[in-house]
């Protein structure tokens, strides 16, 4: 058995290997996210310049002028400027400084810098007032809100070539006196900043704010890192904040969205919608088909429905298990600026065959608990909402054995009293039925709706299964 | 902020030594907990390491609405159940004897002879029962904390503890032990 020291060393080795593998996998991504392009470039300036300058150079390749270096993997990284003065990147550029252009060697952090060809690009410095006029907003809006925070004092302006603006991004950043909180604002003319989008590890949840004409895509990623990107007044903004918390971050986003005279379509209503989703890939624009199943692993299904759907698999490894594709039907829209996601009621089912050949199935579906009929466990998305009526079912002796509704209305919740129609299984309300063939059905109000059906089992066996599943 | 939480914060901030502190504090208990699920000490040790690797690589966010131990054990439990799903292993209860090094670990971690006897009897009861008893009796988690780890309601944990105690009682009686005050 390993000692603590041995295990620590092994864990750290595996951690380092995982990071290396992840970096390699992401190296060729066309677009990468960095927490804050401007801040990262500033941080990299001293450590990388000296090592790289000896390697960089200018070369002619065809009719293009290229500034490049060879990185540690033997790949050329750099840029060239075509005859129209447009800059094209051979690898990912992460930021411009006055005299240098920064490239990201790989996803992790190996940033490199090469001298900018000053003879080709002109830097036009701008004052704060000129910047605000240029971008149609007040870039330094937060200076009053955080008067004691350290404000980045970089030279601001745009790069142009032969009179044409070719690089119009600027960044400002604010850092708290203790250095634990920071806010960075990247802004670009006419389009979003180059590295908008998810940076770092996107967390399981993301959310979208839509506020009248101003719409922002918000990301919660990394540890306590929030980002927002939106177009406003003809300029694209990317706000990145760490250490300040969600509420404060949303306030900042609203301030920028509402400047200078923005009014919500509904006064007093900011229309902030927070949608928790387990994974929401907003890195690439996407519009999914509403009827496209977003496949999930069993673990993800369990997390999403907040129920251990495969609990019987663990308890009864001797049973044969089968299931179709798992997941939820959802509709995502994301054009890079605005995003939304809708989930539909989707059933996930696991089927078992016991060692005696009996068939058991366990299904889970989102929604409030109500007595259900087969019609409500439908493959249709979304579930239709028919007029609610309750059908009471009786056994051959005239006793009420349950109630069903022809369709599931999530707003209409029936709470049968436990001593009449519903049973209580380990604290969960449940309706237990027998169909015409004598098979058992139980609808259980767990954190999501669960239906368990069984063919060929006795009542006591079925109750034992319900007990095992719910305990 | 307990020690684990403080160490985890330091690790997140880049202090790798803090990970060593976490491993040193929680490794043995975690292996014994995982053993109550997978019933194999070697596998439990591997899963314990996987738990720490997950902590080190993914750096999941600790929100502070539970103790760090609850947070760590929840991650470990998910990893153990993943393993069970993949392997579909079913170890007969009678094959669950600990190896010599397992016995050393058990004695070093649990210390009290009476508790060691209880722990050994736990090998003969169902994994769910063993799990809930390990969390509430040996790790002294509250029912609410155990519910968070095992993803159950507090009510379900109360019922489970009740049944687990009865099962354990029966097992101890079978082996001729006193079971009062368990």
């Amino acid at each position: 058995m390993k000692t603590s020291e041995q295990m620590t060393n092994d864990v750290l080795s595996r951690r380092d290997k995982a990071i290396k593998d992840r970096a390699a996998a992401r190296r060729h991504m066309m677009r990468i996210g960095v927490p804050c392009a401007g801040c990262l470039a500033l941080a990299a300036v001293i450590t990388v310049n000296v090592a790289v300058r000896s390697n960089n150079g200018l070369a002619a390749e065809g009719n293009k002028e290229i500034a490049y270096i060879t990185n540690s993997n033997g790949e050329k990284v750099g840029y060239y400027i075509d005859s129209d003065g447009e800059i094209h990147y051979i690898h990912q550029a992460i930021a411009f400084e006055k005299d240098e252009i920064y490239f990201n060697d790989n996803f992790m952090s190996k940033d490199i810098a090469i001298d900018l060809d000053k003879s080709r690009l002109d830097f036009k410095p701008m004052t704060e007032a000129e910047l605000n006029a240029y971008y149609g907003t007040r870039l330094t809006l937060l200076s009053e809100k955080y008067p004691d925070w350290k404000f980045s004092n970089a030279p601001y302006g745009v790069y142009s070539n032969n009179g044409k603006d070719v690089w119009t991004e600027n960044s400002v950043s604010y850092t708290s006196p203790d250095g634990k909180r920071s806010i960075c604002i990247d802004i670009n003319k006419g389009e979003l900043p180059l590295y908008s989008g998810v940076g770092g590890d996107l967390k399981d949840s993301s959310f979208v704010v839509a506020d009248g004409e101003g719409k922002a895509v918000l990301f919660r990623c990394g540890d306590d890192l929030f980002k927002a990107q939106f177009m406003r007044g003809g300029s694209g903004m990317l706000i990145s904040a760490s250490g300040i918390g969600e509420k404060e971050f949303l306030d900042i986003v609203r301030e920028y969205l509402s400047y200078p005279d923005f009014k919500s379509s509904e006064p007093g209503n900011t229309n902030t919608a927070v949608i928790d989703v387990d994974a929401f890939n907003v890195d690439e624009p996407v519009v999914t088909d509403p009827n496209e199943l977003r496949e999930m692993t069993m673990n993800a299904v369990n997390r999403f429905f907040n129920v251990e759907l495969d609990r019987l698999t663990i308890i009864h490894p001797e049973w044969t298990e089968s299931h179709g594709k798992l997941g939820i039907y959802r509709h995502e829209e994301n054009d890079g600026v605005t995003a939304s996601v809708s989930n539909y009621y989707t059933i996930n089912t696991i089927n078992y065959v016991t060692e005696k050949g009996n068939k058991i199935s366990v299904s889970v579906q989102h929604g409030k608990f109500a007595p259900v009929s087969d019609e409500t466990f439908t493959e249709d998305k979304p579930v239709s909402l028919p007029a609610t009526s309750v059908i009471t079912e009786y056994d051959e002796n005239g006793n009420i054995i349950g109630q069903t509704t022809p369709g599931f209305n999530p707003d209409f919740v029936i709470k049968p009293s436990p001593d009449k129609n519903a049973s209580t299984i380990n604290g969960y309300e449940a309706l237990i039925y027998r169909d015409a063939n004598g098979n058992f059905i139980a609808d259980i109000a767990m954190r999501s709706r669960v239906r368990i059906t069984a063919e060929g089992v006795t009542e006591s066996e079925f109750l034992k299964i319900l007990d095992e599943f719910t305990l | 902020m307990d020690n684990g939480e403080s160490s985890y914060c330091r690790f997140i901030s880049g202090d790798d030594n803090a990970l060593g502190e976490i491993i040193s504090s929680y490794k043995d208990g975690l292996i014994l907990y995982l053993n109550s699920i997978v019933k194999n000490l070697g596998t439990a040790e591997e899963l314990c390491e996987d738990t720490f690797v997950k902590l080190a690589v993914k750096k999941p966010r600790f929100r502070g609405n539970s103790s760090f131990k609850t947070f760590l054990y929840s991650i470990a439990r998910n990893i153990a159940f993943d393993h069970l799903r993949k392997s579909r292993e079913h170890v007969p209860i009678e094959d669950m004897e600990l190896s010599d090094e397992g016995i050393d670990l058990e004695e070093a971690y649990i210390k009290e002879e009476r508790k060691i006897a209880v722990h050994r009897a736990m090998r003969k009861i169902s994994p769910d029962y063993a799990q809930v008893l390990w969390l509430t009796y040996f790790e002294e988690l509250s029912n609410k904390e155990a519910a968070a780890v095992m993803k159950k309601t507090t009510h379900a944990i109360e019922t489970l503890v009740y049944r687990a105690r009865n099962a354990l009682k029966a097992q101890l009686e079978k082996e001729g032990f006193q079971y009062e005050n368990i």
Side-chain angles (χ1 to χ4, degrees):
Chain A
M1 188 156 287
K2 291 179 185 175
T3 63
S4 296
E5 290 72 28
Q6 286 167 334
M7 189 175 280
T8 304
N9 290 336
D10 289 348
V11 168
L12 289 173
S13 300
R14 286 174 64 186
R15 188 267 314 259
D16 293 343
K17 185 176 180 305
I19 289 172
K20 203 174 160 190
D21 291 347
R22 191 163 59 182
R26 292 184 179 176
R27 188 172 300 128
H28 297 294
M29 284 173 66
M30 288 302 292
R31 294 183 67 189
I32 58 168
V34 291
C36 166
C39 301
L40 217 153
L42 288 171
V45 70
I46 295 171
T47 55
V48 294
N49 274 355
V50 177
V52 172
R53 274 186 177 149
S54 59
N55 294 329
N56 74 355
L58 284 166
E61 201 168 277
N63 57 357
K64 300 170 189 167
E65 290 293 331
I66 298 176
Y68 70 89
I69 64 156
T70 303
N71 71 11
S72 53
N73 293 314
E75 299 163 334
K76 284 179 177 176
V77 295
Y79 73 98
Y80 68 87
I81 303 170
D82 66 18
S83 53
D84 294 327
E86 295 284 346
I87 295 176
H88 298 268
Y89 307 108
I90 300 171
H91 213 271
Q92 299 100 342
I94 59 168
F96 277 87
E97 283 301 296
K98 189 170 186 312
D99 298 330
E100 289 147 342
I101 182 170
Y102 289 84
F103 293 94
N104 189 281
D105 188 11
N106 64 33
F107 184 74
M108 293 313 294
S109 64
K110 272 179 130 185
D111 305 315
I112 48 181
I114 58 176
D115 288 338
L116 209 55
D117 184 354
K118 293 179 199 168
S119 65
R120 291 196 167 272
L121 293 181
D122 299 317
F123 180 69
K124 295 192 295 187
M126 287 181 174
T127 63
E128 188 177 328
E130 286 170 330
L131 278 177
N132 291 338
Y134 183 73
Y135 291 116
T137 186
R138 192 173 158 207
L139 195 54
T140 53
L141 198 60
L142 299 181
S143 296
E144 290 154 20
K145 192 179 176 87
Y146 303 102
D148 57 335
W149 286 30
K150 190 180 171 191
F151 176 64
S152 59
N153 198 21
Y156 299 109
V158 297
Y159 287 91
S160 63
N161 187 38
N162 296 326
K164 184 179 177 183
D165 291 344
V166 292
W167 182 260
T168 57
E169 261 193 63
N170 277 282
S171 291
V172 297
S173 66
Y174 296 87
T175 310
S176 66
D178 60 7
K180 290 179 180 171
R181 292 168 292 161
S182 65
I183 302 159
C184 187
I185 296 143
D186 295 305
I187 193 163
N188 200 6
K189 185 75 176 170
E191 59 184 335
L192 289 168
L194 184 60
Y195 290 104
S196 302
V198 181
D201 294 326
L202 179 65
K203 286 292 176 191
D204 283 346
S205 57
S206 62
F207 44 91
V208 177
V209 61
D211 195 352
E213 67 175 275
K215 291 177 181 174
V217 181
L218 307 182
F219 308 117
R220 189 204 318 266
C221 41
D223 294 304
D224 205 17
L225 172 65
F226 294 93
K227 303 181 90 177
Q229 65 182 53
F230 52 87
M231 294 295 296
R232 184 84 184 105
S235 295
M237 294 187 79
L238 171 66
I239 302 175
S240 313
S242 64
I244 64 169
E246 181 177 326
K247 186 182 174 302
E248 197 169 347
F249 173 72
L250 286 173
D251 287 344
I252 291 168
V253 173
R254 286 194 193 98
E255 277 191 56
Y256 274 100
L257 273 171
S258 61
Y259 185 85
D261 54 2
F262 172 75
K263 286 187 176 56
S264 172
S265 54
E266 292 177 60
N269 180 7
T270 57
N271 285 336
T272 301
V274 178
I275 304 168
D276 274 329
V277 289
D278 58 323
F280 181 24
N281 180 4
V282 284
D283 212 4
E284 295 294 330
V286 60
V287 176
T288 58
D289 185 327
N291 290 321
E292 185 182 323
L293 182 74
R294 180 74 171 262
E295 277 196 65
M296 288 177 164
T297 62
M298 183 64 75
N299 253 346
V301 167
N302 288 345
R303 280 201 307 273
F304 186 81
F305 290 101
N306 223 342
V307 161
E308 270 188 298
L309 179 63
D310 61 338
R311 178 156 176 73
L312 295 177
T313 307
I314 307 295
I315 296 173
H316 293 288
E318 72 280 11
W319 290 1
T320 307
E321 176 209 291
S322 64
H323 58 78
K325 286 181 179 176
L326 301 171
I328 53 163
Y329 287 89
R330 53 201 272 162
H331 180 62
E332 290 183 6
E333 285 185 72
N334 172 22
D335 59 7
V337 178
T338 59
S340 66
V341 60
S342 313
N343 295 321
Y344 294 93
Y345 295 107
T346 308
I347 306 164
N348 282 263
T349 301
I350 302 184
N351 299 304
Y352 299 97
V353 178
T354 69
E355 68 275 32
K356 292 178 187 170
N358 299 326
K359 290 178 183 170
I360 314 288
S361 77
V362 183
S363 303
V364 64
Q365 186 183 31
H366 250 306
K368 293 177 185 174
F369 176 65
V372 292
S373 73
D374 283 333
E375 290 167 71
T376 64
F377 270 78
T378 169
E379 294 292 336
D380 295 332
K381 278 73 58 179
V383 170
S384 59
L385 303 177
T388 304
S389 62
V390 180
I391 301 166
T392 306
E393 295 175 6
Y394 300 87
D395 66 13
E396 65 274 22
N397 300 318
N399 300 317
I400 296 174
I401 57 169
Q403 289 180 310
T404 56
T405 58
F408 173 57
N409 179 349
D411 297 323
F412 182 76
V413 182
I414 297 172
K415 285 268 184 186
S417 57
D419 61 339
K420 284 185 182 173
N421 307 318
S423 307
T424 301
I425 304 170
N426 292 320
Y428 300 111
E429 276 186 277
L431 282 171
I432 303 170
Y433 310 87
R434 269 189 110 144
D435 68 13
N437 299 318
N439 300 321
F440 286 100
I441 303 169
D443 291 326
I444 313 169
M446 299 182 75
R447 290 184 181 90
S448 291
R449 285 146 40 95
V450 171
R451 167 170 284 194
I452 299 179
T453 62
E455 288 179 31
V457 300
T458 63
E459 184 176 327
S460 62
E461 284 171 336
F462 186 62
L463 291 175
K464 181 170 179 282
I465 290 168
L466 298 185
D467 183 56
E468 287 172 338
F469 188 85
T470 51
L471 192 55
Chain B
M1 189 183 280
D2 66 25
N3 286 341
E5 184 179 346
S6 145
S7 300
Y8 190 53
C9 284
R10 281 173 35 232
F11 172 66
I12 293 288
S13 310
D15 179 1
D16 283 354
N17 291 331
L19 184 69
E21 292 168 13
I22 294 171
I23 291 175
S24 175
S25 303
Y26 295 100
K27 175 176 83 75
D28 292 349
L30 206 53
I31 290 173
L32 290 171
Y33 169 63
L34 288 165
N35 187 51
S36 75
I37 302 174
V38 297
K39 305 290 183 188
N40 180 307
L41 196 72
T43 307
E45 187 186 10
E46 283 169 21
L47 297 176
C48 173
E49 185 171 310
D50 290 348
T51 304
F52 291 124
V53 168
K54 184 163 185 182
L55 210 61
V57 175
K58 302 271 183 189
K59 294 182 177 172
R61 188 175 180 187
F62 176 60
R63 294 172 193 276
N65 46 14
S66 66
S67 70
F68 180 76
K69 186 189 264 186
T70 307
F71 168 71
L72 184 66
Y73 275 53
S74 301
I75 296 170
R77 183 182 181 273
N78 287 341
I79 286 174
F81 274 65
D82 263 356
H83 168 80
L84 290 177
R85 280 180 194 111
K86 282 176 197 157
S87 65
R88 302 293 307 274
E89 274 177 8
H90 182 49
V91 184
I93 285 178
E94 55 272 25
D95 290 348
M96 293 169 191
E97 293 302 327
L98 277 184
S99 60
D100 287 347
E101 58 181 3
I103 291 169
D104 289 345
L105 172 70
E106 184 185 53
E107 289 174 352
Y109 187 74
I110 301 174
K111 294 185 179 75
E112 287 176 46
E113 209 169 300
R114 193 175 63 90
K115 282 192 169 185
I116 291 172
V118 170
H119 185 245
R120 287 181 185 167
M122 275 166 51
R123 283 179 223 140
K124 307 280 173 61
I125 61 178
S126 91
D128 266 354
Y129 292 167
Q131 244 193 95
V132 77
L133 286 178
W134 177 262
L135 293 174
T136 55
Y137 184 62
F138 290 91
E139 296 294 358
E140 296 177 347
L141 296 188
S142 66
N143 285 350
K144 196 178 165 191
E145 287 173 319
V149 173
M150 294 182 71
K151 294 185 170 45
K152 295 183 187 300
T153 60
T154 310
H155 175 85
I157 290 293
E158 284 163 5
T159 313
L160 201 56
V161 168
Y162 173 77
R163 291 187 192 180
R165 279 183 171 177
N166 283 344
L168 184 66
K169 228 185 246 185
Q171 186 58 39
L172 283 168
E173 271 182 348
K174 213 165 133 186
E175 295 179 11
F177 285 95
Q178 300 271 331
Y179 54 79
E180 282 80 12
N181 303 321
I182 291 168

